[in-house]
């Protein structure tokens, strides 16, 4: 088999990074992956490009932040 070994990305860690609204660059840095690798992984895992899945996964973080803001107000 030729080429590099397939990059293993932790799905839960990826979703957590999206929830706290890390940038794509930050997510790539934490996961030690390129943007192309991350996008390919998103397509294989979710059937969507990074930008599409990021929009979905960050909503949980927004709700959590809003909940905490109301609690502190």
């Amino acid at each position: 088999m030729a080429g590099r070994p397939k990059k293993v990305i932790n799905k839960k860690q990826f979703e957590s990074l999206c929830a706290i609204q890390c940038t794509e660059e930050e997510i790539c840095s934490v996961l030690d992956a390129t943007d192309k690798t991350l996008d390919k992984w998103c397509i294989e895992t979710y059937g969507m490009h990074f930008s599409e899945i990021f929009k979905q996964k960050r909503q949980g973080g927004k709700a959590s932040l809003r909940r905490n803001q109301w609690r502190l107000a």
Side-chain angles (χ1 to χ4, degrees), residues 3-55:
R4 294 181 185 199
K6 191 170 188 167
K7 177 71 178 167
V8 177
I9 294 178
N10 183 307
K11 185 175 179 180
K12 185 172 179 130
Q13 184 180 24
F14 169 76
E15 291 180 358
S16 295
L17 292 168
C18 290
I20 61 171
Q21 299 184 44
C22 289
T23 65
E24 182 178 18
E25 185 178 336
E26 292 167 337
I27 293 170
C28 287
S29 178
V30 170
L31 298 176
D32 191 31
T34 66
D35 57 336
K36 289 179 183 177
T37 299
L38 184 60
D39 193 54
K40 183 178 176 185
W41 177 82
C42 286
I43 292 168
E44 292 171 356
T45 305
Y46 299 100
M48 294 181 266
H49 289 277
F50 170 80
S51 60
E52 297 166 307
I53 197 65
F54 179 76
K55 285 178 188 175

